Amino acid sequence: MRGDEGGFAAIRAVVPTLEVDRYMATDLKAASELVGSGGLNAAVSAGILPVLEG
C-alpha cells in the first residue's frame, strides 16, 4: 500500500465519507486525535521509511 493510500484508509477508519450534510465537529475531533496520536503519520510512513531497531 502506498503512503497516501495508508493515510486515506486511516482517516476513513475514524471519519466516514460525507454522504449527506452533517455536523462536522465530531469528524474534525476524530481526525485531530488521529494526527495527535501519531496514527496518521504511522499509516503514511508504513512501508515507505525503514524501521530502525536498536
Side-chain angles (χ1 to χ4, degrees):
M1 182 179 310
R2 292 183 353 214
D4 57 342
E5 293 170 344
F8 186 78
I11 292 169
R12 283 291 160 244
V14 297
V15 178
T17 302
L18 184 61
E19 300 287 336
V20 296
D21 193 22
R22 67 174 182 257
Y23 188 63
M24 300 294 295
T26 304
D27 296 341
L28 294 171
K29 182 176 186 229
S32 176
E33 290 172 353
L34 179 65
V35 172
S37 72
L40 183 61
N41 186 47
V44 170
S45 62
I48 294 175
L49 301 174
V51 175
L52 303 178
E53 297 180 23

